[in-house]
Amino acid sequence: MATTTAPARRRPAQALRRAPKPRHIVGTVAKIVLALVFVLPIVFMFVSSLKPDAQIFSDLGSINAFLPTGHISFANYAGVFDRVPIVTFLMNSVGISAATVILGLLVNSLAAFALSRMRLRGKKIILTAIIATLIVPFETLALPLVWWVNQLPWLQVNGFSLALTHGWLDTYRVQIIPFIANAFSVYLFHQYFDSIPKELDEAARMDGAGWFQIYRTIIMPLSGPAIATVAILTFLPAWNSYLWPIMVVQSENLRPVMVGVEYFYQLNVAWGQIMAYTTLITLPILVLFIAFQRSFVNSIASTGVKG
């Protein structure tokens, strides 16, 4: 009897321990609500891109706004390609964003490496000054920056000759170079580099490695989460850039995707086509985030613990 009743007595206690606690239930509900807050606008955007304008407004007061019901078609997507040179805009944004990310990773990681690993006088003051620039909004700097980029020289290639010209307006470089260096990216790299043991540097230095070799072969290979995070945080503003291209780019063949939204407000507003256009330009961002989601979360967590 003892051997048969012992497990029976343990079952109620185990059931009590396995029963979900009220705070766990509240936390799960809160997560579901928060997920819906972020997901439902995307669902509404995609579903509305399949509907005509009249049906979009008629469905706003019901759950049908989030369901692909009624007259569903891809006519809005066809209208996007007829109204906007979206392929040109997408290629421009891909090139601008990719160049900004690649150059930004190199420049910001080198700056953070110097401030984190090398012995420099006043490096804390330098880091503080870099972080302090985050206080200044871009709108405050936009007009002075336009004046400066219009004065900067550039070597223009004409056949087999080089000519020195002034002014970067209406070019690709004016959409890339001013945004390579980023204070927040330097801070993220600096915090992550500080979490890597400096004994690795000392061992490499004893083996005759230089600083750049340490950066290239030791620090950067160990900084995958930080690289993914900085890549995402650099890609997003580059892809979503709107105000700056409006100010410095006039040629249609140089414009990024966000400027294309203006085309749908000319003459008559086509809301279904706007939803289709925003769906097309949102997909690369979702793919990028899903691909680097784990590295992004890990880097933010490690930075928060360190900082």
Side-chain angles (χ1 to χ4, degrees):
M1 290 296 293
T3 57
T4 57
T5 57
R9 293 177 180 177
R10 292 194 189 101
R11 287 173 187 171
Q14 292 176 355
L16 290 175
R17 286 197 298 269
R18 294 177 182 177
K21 297 180 180 180
R23 63 178 183 179
H24 292 164
I25 297 175
V26 173
T28 302
V29 173
K31 292 177 182 178
I32 293 174
V33 172
L34 188 61
L36 291 175
V37 169
F38 287 99
V39 171
L40 286 180
I42 299 176
V43 173
F44 173 78
M45 176 184 67
F46 175 72
V47 171
S48 298
S49 69
L50 304 174
K51 300 178 180 179
D53 291 358
Q55 186 175 345
I56 292 175
F57 288 101
S58 64
D59 291 343
L60 284 179
S62 65
I63 192 64
N64 291 333
F66 303 97
L67 300 176
T69 58
H71 183 68
I72 300 300
S73 70
F74 290 93
N76 290 325
Y77 290 90
V80 166
F81 286 90
D82 293 335
R83 194 164 184 172
V84 177
I86 185 172
V87 176
T88 300
F89 291 170
L90 282 172
M91 295 300 294
N92 289 338
S93 285
V94 168
I96 292 169
S97 301
T100 305
V101 169
I102 294 172
L103 295 175
L105 288 173
L106 178 63
V107 171
N108 296 313
S109 62
L110 284 172
F113 176 81
L115 294 173
S116 174
R117 318 298 289 191
M118 300 176 67
R119 295 184 179 90
L120 299 174
R121 290 184 178 179
K123 62 181 182 180
K124 290 185 178 180
I125 298 176
I126 296 173
L127 180 62
T128 302
I130 292 174
I131 297 175
T133 60
L134 295 172
I135 302 174
V136 183
F138 175 74
E139 290 77 9
T140 305
L141 304 174
L143 289 177
L145 190 58
V146 170
W147 185 86
W148 275 110
V149 296
N150 196 36
Q151 307 300 317
L152 292 174
W154 190 260
L155 285 176
Q156 188 72 31
V157 180
N158 297 320
F160 295 97
S161 62
L162 296 176
L164 184 64
T165 61
H166 287 80
W168 290 10
L169 298 182
D170 206 24
T171 60
Y172 286 119
R173 58 183 176 270
V174 77
Q175 304 179 68
I176 298 172
I177 296 178
F179 305 100
I180 292 175
N182 183 275
F184 191 65
S185 298
V186 173
Y187 172 74
L188 281 179
F189 271 126
H190 180 273
Q191 293 297 96
Y192 200 90
F193 291 167
D194 272 354
S195 66
I196 300 175
K198 293 188 177 181
E199 289 79 4
L200 298 175
D201 301 2
E202 298 173 0
R205 295 285 289 177
M206 292 179 64
D207 291 337
W211 283 116
F212 185 75
Q213 188 175 1
I214 295 173
Y215 161 83
R216 181 176 58 86
T217 61
I218 298 177
I219 301 302
M220 292 304 287
L222 294 175
S223 304
I227 293 172
T229 302
V230 172
I232 293 175
L233 296 181
T234 304
F235 178 86
L236 288 178
W239 186 268
N240 294 328
S241 181
Y242 175 79
L243 176 62
W244 183 249
I246 286 289
M247 299 174 66
V248 299
V249 177
Q250 298 298 325
S251 301
E252 185 177 74
N253 61 330
L254 299 176
R255 291 174 178 169
V257 289
M258 287 302 166
V259 179
V261 178
E262 287 291 327
Y263 286 61
F264 298 96
Y265 293 99
Q266 300 172 2
L267 300 178
N268 58 327
V269 180
W271 291 105
Q273 293 182 7
I274 291 176
M275 295 298 177
Y277 185 79
T278 52
T279 299
L280 291 174
I281 65 178
T282 302
L283 288 177
I285 300 176
L286 292 177
V287 171
L288 181 71
F289 181 77
I290 292 172
F292 293 100
Q293 178 183 8
R294 181 172 298 178
S295 297
F296 180 79
V297 173
N298 291 341
S299 178
I300 292 297
S302 61
T303 301
V305 172
K306 180 67 180 176

